[in-house]
Amino acid sequence: MSHQSEALLGNNLIKQLRDLSYASATIQDDAALVGILQSQLALLNKTTFTAKEFDAILNHLAKGTVFEKAKTDKTEVYKTAIDPIMMLSRMSDVNEVTQ
């Protein structure tokens, strides 16, 4: 088995996701990341969140230790699998939302 650098592994993953029609998200700062999270949660749940509802979600996700947060990701009432792959959206889903 050959060894690959972390950069090469990351680039291969990105290529595979693009080949599966995933689109990458541009994240320039924390606010952009939070905005993408909000839009992806809304898309997954087929709903929209008010500012107050989304603040409650963020507060819930921010509670506890790193280990407790990892558990929350897997048991959250909202579909909140916080995962880099979840930060990507299928091109068809993006098109449906924007049309």
Side-chain angles (χ1 to χ4, degrees):
M1 181 185 310
S2 66
H3 295 280
Q4 295 180 340
S5 70
E6 185 175 343
L8 184 59
L9 287 171
N11 288 337
N12 287 340
L13 174 61
I14 291 169
K15 182 186 179 317
Q16 289 173 352
L17 291 171
R18 285 188 177 143
D19 290 346
L20 293 169
S21 299
Y22 281 84
S24 58
T26 302
I27 302 170
Q28 297 178 352
D29 55 25
D30 290 347
L33 179 62
V34 171
I36 291 169
L37 174 62
Q38 184 174 8
S39 65
Q40 290 302 303
L41 288 176
L43 184 65
L44 280 169
N45 288 287
K46 297 182 176 133
T47 190
T48 57
F49 300 106
T50 65
K52 185 175 180 179
E53 290 169 333
F54 190 66
D55 283 345
I57 293 169
L58 291 178
N59 286 338
H60 182 74
L61 292 174
K63 290 181 183 175
T65 66
V66 172
F67 299 107
E68 291 166 337
K69 288 177 188 178
K71 242 189 262 183
T72 299
D73 290 348
K74 293 171 182 59
T75 60
E76 185 57 43
V77 173
Y78 302 100
K79 296 177 185 174
T80 56
I82 308 305
D83 181 318
I85 294 173
M86 293 302 293
M87 298 310 292
L88 302 170
S89 61
R90 287 203 177 265
M91 297 277 263
S92 60
D93 292 342
V94 171
N95 291 335
E96 288 174 16
V97 171
T98 58
Q99 291 177 353

